[in-house]
Amino acid sequence: MATDYNQLKQQTARLSVISNTLLVFLKLFVGITSGAVSIISEAAHSAVDLIAALVAYFAVKKSSKPPDEQHAYGHGKIENLSAAFEAVLIVLAALWIVYESVDKINKPHAPEYLEYGLLVMAFSVVVNYWVSYKLYYVAQLTGSHALEADALHLRADIWTSVGVLIGLGIMKVTGMYWIDPVIAIAVAVIVFKAGFTMTMKSIYELTDVSLPEEEEKIIRAIVYSHPAVIAFHQLRTRRSGSFRLIDMHLVLQKDMHLDKAHAVCDEIEIMIKTEFEPCDVTIHLEPCDYHEGFGACPAECNENCKYE
């Protein structure tokens, strides 16, 4: 399953590289031909998307490598670094849009062949919508943060393309050239917000923030559901790229045979991995004797003896 996921992530990341390469050349050609600065700036924006897609592709490829002597926990953090880098690119793209828009307000001009610009921007919207949908679907399926960041990046590009498309349409019909930069500035705010959200998420995960509370609740429910479990505590969770890393201290009857205790751990690991694949689960066993959470070890487990 892990190998299939890695291949799927690499194929999807490669699709993003191909689509962004095509859009960069199309927008640049039409922008230079028509003299529309908005289309040229969109070509620059797509170039940023292309860089981000390349980073995501190599990050996915690298992060799928198994652990080695220097990286005992694998290479998943590369995906988190990739997402952080892409978030910065989104913020820079937003600032670039504002810069170009202000310059167009100060120096308005009448571009030519606007119909070609309308066609290429419409094509860009359709392509980016389809590719971003594919990226986001695979990201959710495999837990890839690099692909998720790339998908959000392309979704932001859709809004900028729509803004430029509307501006070109209004210019074509009315000749009101000042509308284009105003729309572009409004779109830049949306792009900046997306970049800021991605930046904060990347920072949280690079600093090993715990998994969301709803996910930890599921983990607790899984552990509590096993009849042999007396209690568990010191639950610690974090993410490394697509992988969730989970460890805990599990309390079992002190006279339980080692084979049985090991089987209990295996069963709990399987249930957690079924819910959160791919993940790595580490369980530290403790014999039930006396614990501050519930006092002396009970003869049988019940709801009152479960603690954290």
Side-chain angles (χ1 to χ4, degrees), residues 92-138:
L92 292 177
L95 296 177
W96 170 265
I97 294 171
V98 172
Y99 173 81
E100 289 295 326
S101 300
V102 171
D103 185 64
K104 285 184 65 178
I105 291 175
N106 295 329
K107 302 175 183 178
H109 70 282
E112 302 176 349
Y113 309 113
L114 287 178
E115 58 275 8
Y116 296 118
L118 290 168
L119 287 175
V120 74
M121 297 314 302
F123 178 72
S124 175
V125 170
V126 173
V127 170
N128 280 335
Y129 177 82
W130 179 72
V131 175
S132 66
Y133 173 82
K134 179 71 174 178
L135 285 168
Y136 194 77
Y137 172 79
V138 175

Side-chain angles (χ1 to χ4, degrees), residues 84-261:
F85 179 73
E86 291 186 42
V88 173
L89 289 180
I90 289 180
V91 172
L92 292 177
L95 296 177
W96 170 265
I97 294 171
V98 172
Y99 173 81
E100 289 295 326
S101 300
V102 171
D103 185 64
K104 285 184 65 178
I105 291 175
N106 295 329
K107 302 175 183 178
H109 70 282
E112 302 176 349
Y113 309 113
L114 287 178
E115 58 275 8
Y116 296 118
L118 290 168
L119 287 175
V120 74
M121 297 314 302
F123 178 72
S124 175
V125 170
V126 173
V127 170
N128 280 335
Y129 177 82
W130 179 72
V131 175
S132 66
Y133 173 82
K134 179 71 174 178
L135 285 168
Y136 194 77
Y137 172 79
V138 175
Q140 296 303 302
L141 180 65
T142 62
S144 171
H145 281 212
L147 292 183
E148 181 182 3
D150 200 13
L152 294 176
H153 200 166
L154 287 182
R155 286 184 180 182
D157 194 30
I158 291 173
W159 287 107
T160 61
S161 296
V162 169
V164 173
L165 179 64
I166 293 174
L168 292 174
I170 293 176
M171 284 192 293
K172 178 70 173 177
V173 175
T174 66
M176 300 168 63
Y177 304 120
W178 60 269
I179 293 179
D180 182 29
V182 171
I183 293 177
I185 291 175
V187 172
V189 174
I190 299 174
V191 176
F192 184 86
K193 182 178 181 297
F196 178 79
T197 301
M198 288 174 56
T199 301
M200 296 307 298
K201 183 176 181 180
S202 299
I203 290 174
Y204 288 149
E205 291 177 354
L206 285 171
T207 53
D208 289 335
V209 68
S210 299
L211 295 178
E213 178 61 27
E214 56 269 22
E215 294 189 7
E216 290 197 347
K217 285 182 179 179
I218 294 174
I219 295 171
R220 294 188 187 100
I222 290 174
V223 178
Y224 286 158
S225 68
H226 198 288
V229 173
I230 292 177
F232 85 103
H233 59 115
Q234 293 190 28
L235 173 65
R236 296 185 299 178
T237 62
R238 63 187 176 94
R239 289 196 68 140
S240 178
S242 303
F243 279 82
R244 294 172 175 85
L245 302 176
I246 303 164
D247 64 81
M248 68 188 75
H249 288 216
L250 191 65
V251 182
L252 302 178
Q253 289 288 349
K254 65 179 180 179
D255 57 352
M256 181 180 289
H257 195 280
L258 181 59
D259 289 345
K260 173 62 177 177

Side-chain angles (χ1 to χ4, degrees), residues 29-41:
F29 174 77
V30 174
I32 293 175
T33 302
S34 65
V37 179
S38 60
I39 301 177
I40 296 176
S41 65

Side-chain angles (χ1 to χ4, degrees), residues 5 43 63 192 248 292:
Y5 276 175
S63 66
F192 184 86
M248 68 188 75
E292 293 182 0

